[in-house]
Amino acid sequence: MSEFDESADTPNREDLRLAEYVLGTLDGEERREVEGWMDADPRIAARVETWQERFAQLANQVAPADAPAYIWARILARIEPERVALESTAPATRPGLWQSLTLWRWLGAGSLAVAALVVIIVLGVMPTQRQHGAPGTRSGTELAATIRTDNGQAAFTASIDASGTRMTVIPTAAWKHSGKVPELWLIAPGSKTPEPLGVIAQDHATVMTIPAALRGQARSQALLAISVEPPGGSPTGLPTGPVIAKGAVNSI
Amino acid sequence: MKPSTDTYSREVLTTTLHAVAGGDKQAFEQLYQMTSAKLFGICLGLLPQRSDAEDVLQDVYVTVWQKAAQFREGRATAMTWLISIARNKSIDRLRARGTLQRSSPIDLAGPLSDPAPEQPEVVEAEQESQRLDGCMNTLDPKQRAAIRVAFMEGVTHDALASRAGVPLGTMKSWIRRGLHRLKACLER
């Protein structure tokens, strides 16, 4: 094929403009212009896609880089408010768990930018139940707690499902006690004795079944606390290390 | 070792993306696991500031969640669709940043051929995409270097020209001629 003649061949010039768009050499205004063409004409959008595919090989030569773990937590925090909006059984005026969790995760994530915290949130249970639950049934979360350190930083968030049997605990800050593990305790309303709920993960969500004996106590006004324990958890049934964070369970 | 994007087939990515379009959050998480390292690499390559790349990566996946239904497998594969979102958002952020673009000089003498890919390439669309390498090598070295830097760094004609120390018209012409030849070669 002959060399490109800039003075002629309008369709070709237009196609090269699309190529420049994909290549990334256009300025902001020019980019908006091309996007306008794409919106107006699917054939142009298709030609842009053709150029994107042509350049795919170059894109594949870019070295991958692992994104920090808190990115995923922030993405979830941003998509979850939509679920609140879709949750028809939740009165709009009541702040929902999802919004609260969103805030907490943002607080947590913001403070750990330098830390290698892994927040892999495995909340499959609740959204799935919401999606598939019959209209009018409340099978989602009913109770939640923010477990904070003495200086007010959210260390973990916990949520308990409507049946009171399943609790999800999510770390929201870096665990700084290397060689030690976090253990979760329940202190029933009016009680002073912590009941062990077990060791939880410091770097991703833990979904646990609340022991049958404690289900009645895991209610509003109960306290959740985290102590620092040796791997495997407290050998005594009571906290052996410092209690570094606590928070009250509240209905939502 | 965590599998890289390259080990996922076109079919798996397409199926997963369709599930995301249906609101399947587990599929969304799988998609993130499969593709985020590749997309983050692309954002980091385009954006000099790491914090920008992290912000943009979030925007990319929020957009994917919201717009997955708009993906139609046709000319572009699922991976190309994702890459394009990441590139477009990165380039827009770069433009919004204005002066913070990279300013290192571009060596237009460059290597005579593109370096060999560092890693095994995506199985999907292999034949099609490998042709690009061959066609890039048919370009004049200046055209090839300008196109390569433009793609990898998302810089404007203006910035390319000043970094290469040539007039704007010359740079535009190199790129257009390069793209024209590339297209002719790829359509052969």
Side-chain angles (χ1 to χ4, degrees):
Chain A
M1 190 185 264
S2 63
E3 275 299 306
F4 172 54
D5 177 0
E6 300 236 18
S7 63
D9 199 1
T10 303
N12 205 358
R13 286 182 68 174
E14 186 186 67
D15 199 50
L16 290 184
R17 192 62 159 179
L18 305 183
E20 288 171 336
Y21 171 79
V22 173
L23 189 62
T25 54
L26 302 185
D27 66 27
E29 206 174 308
E30 293 164 332
R31 288 177 61 76
R32 299 293 86 80
E33 185 185 31
V34 171
E35 285 163 1
W37 300 345
M38 289 164 66
D39 287 343
D41 188 346
R43 286 168 300 181
I44 290 188
R47 278 158 62 192
V48 167
E49 281 180 23
T50 299
W51 275 109
Q52 287 166 344
E53 197 57 44
R54 282 172 179 152
F55 279 117
Q57 172 76 2
L58 269 184
N60 280 326
Q61 289 173 16
V62 176
D66 283 331
Y70 52 76
I71 300 282
W72 174 243
R74 290 178 184 179
I75 291 165
L76 277 187
R78 284 174 61 183
I79 66 171
E80 276 163 359
E82 294 177 0
R83 292 177 179 276
V84 175
L86 294 171
E87 169 63 73
S88 58
T89 54
T93 51
R94 195 171 60 172
L97 168 73
W98 292 107
Q99 286 154 319
S100 308
L101 275 182
T102 298
L103 174 65
W104 298 337
R105 282 193 208 120
W106 272 103
L107 288 172
S111 63
L112 53 81
V114 292
L117 172 67
V118 181
V119 187
I120 300 170
I121 297 173
V122 191
L123 282 176
V125 176
M126 290 177 288
T128 306
Q129 287 179 344
R130 285 181 179 214
Q131 279 168 5
H132 300 305
T137 58
R138 298 269 320 165
S139 53
T141 305
E142 292 288 312
L143 294 166
T146 305
I147 307 169
R148 297 180 185 277
T149 60
D150 285 345
N151 63 18
Q153 189 190 7
F156 292 87
T157 63
S159 53
I160 301 171
D161 72 354
S163 67
T165 55
R166 191 186 288 267
M167 176 151 54
T168 304
V169 189
I170 302 165
T172 55
W175 179 253
K176 295 176 182 136
H177 310 273
S178 67
K180 304 280 189 180
V181 298
E183 182 159 355
L184 184 66
W185 305 86
L186 175 74
I187 302 153
S191 165
K192 289 191 168 145
T193 311
E195 301 287 347
L197 287 169
V199 171
I200 56 172
Q202 66 208 44
D203 57 358
H204 58 83
T206 300
V207 179
M208 64 171 70
T209 301
I210 299 170
L214 293 178
R215 272 173 209 167
Q217 300 170 41
R219 62 179 196 266
S220 192
Q221 303 310 313
L223 270 184
L224 290 173
I226 299 282
S227 69
V228 180
E229 300 295 340
S234 165
T236 68
L238 285 172
T240 61
V243 173
I244 53 144
K246 49 188 184 295
V249 174
N250 286 300
S251 57
I252 54 164
Chain B
M1 196 182 117
K2 192 174 136 191
S4 75
T5 304
D6 300 346
T7 60
Y8 299 105
S9 73
R10 173 180 186 155
E11 196 181 339
V12 168
L13 281 177
T14 303
T15 307
T16 309
L17 191 53
H18 284 323
V20 172
D24 181 339
K25 205 163 108 188
Q26 258 187 331
F28 184 51
E29 182 164 2
Q30 282 165 5
L31 186 76
Y32 183 84
Q33 300 290 347
M34 290 189 284
T35 58
S36 60
K38 174 59 81 184
L39 298 192
F40 192 46
I42 284 167
C43 295
L44 280 175
L46 290 164
L47 291 161
Q49 289 194 19
R50 191 180 167 90
S51 57
D52 279 343
E54 292 185 1
D55 281 355
V56 167
L57 188 68
Q58 291 171 48
D59 288 346
V60 168
Y61 280 95
V62 171
T63 300
V64 168
W65 175 251
Q66 292 165 341
K67 298 193 171 172
Q70 291 179 13
F71 168 70
R72 297 272 182 282
E73 195 176 39
R75 289 166 181 82
T77 65
M79 195 64 213
T80 300
W81 187 76
L82 294 169
I83 285 171
S84 299
I85 292 172
R87 282 182 53 80
N88 283 332
K89 286 193 181 293
S90 296
I91 290 167
D92 286 339
R93 175 67 65 104
L94 200 55
R95 296 293 180 270
R97 288 286 185 198
T99 54
L100 278 173
Q101 297 190 352
R102 285 188 185 79
S103 55
S104 56
I106 300 166
D107 178 11
L108 290 176
L112 282 176
S113 62
D114 279 318
E118 289 166 17
Q119 56 200 342
E121 294 308 323
V122 179
V123 182
E124 65 178 64
E126 197 159 16
Q127 286 180 326
E128 178 61 30
S129 57
Q130 278 188 350
R131 289 175 60 206
L132 182 74
D133 265 349
C135 287
M136 284 287 280
N137 284 332
T138 67
L139 303 186
D140 174 276
K142 286 175 185 168
Q143 295 171 351
R144 181 169 61 239
I147 286 175
R148 197 180 168 81
V149 172
F151 185 86
M152 292 301 181
E153 300 185 17
V155 286
T156 60
H157 287 125
D158 240 349
L160 277 173
S162 74
R163 282 171 58 182
V166 299
L168 176 59
T170 305
M171 179 53 74
K172 279 190 175 174
S173 172
W174 282 350
I175 288 183
R176 290 213 145 192
R177 284 168 196 280
L179 289 170
H180 178 75
R181 281 175 73 167
L182 208 52
K183 181 181 172 185
C185 174
L186 288 167
E187 283 178 348
R188 220 168 264 159

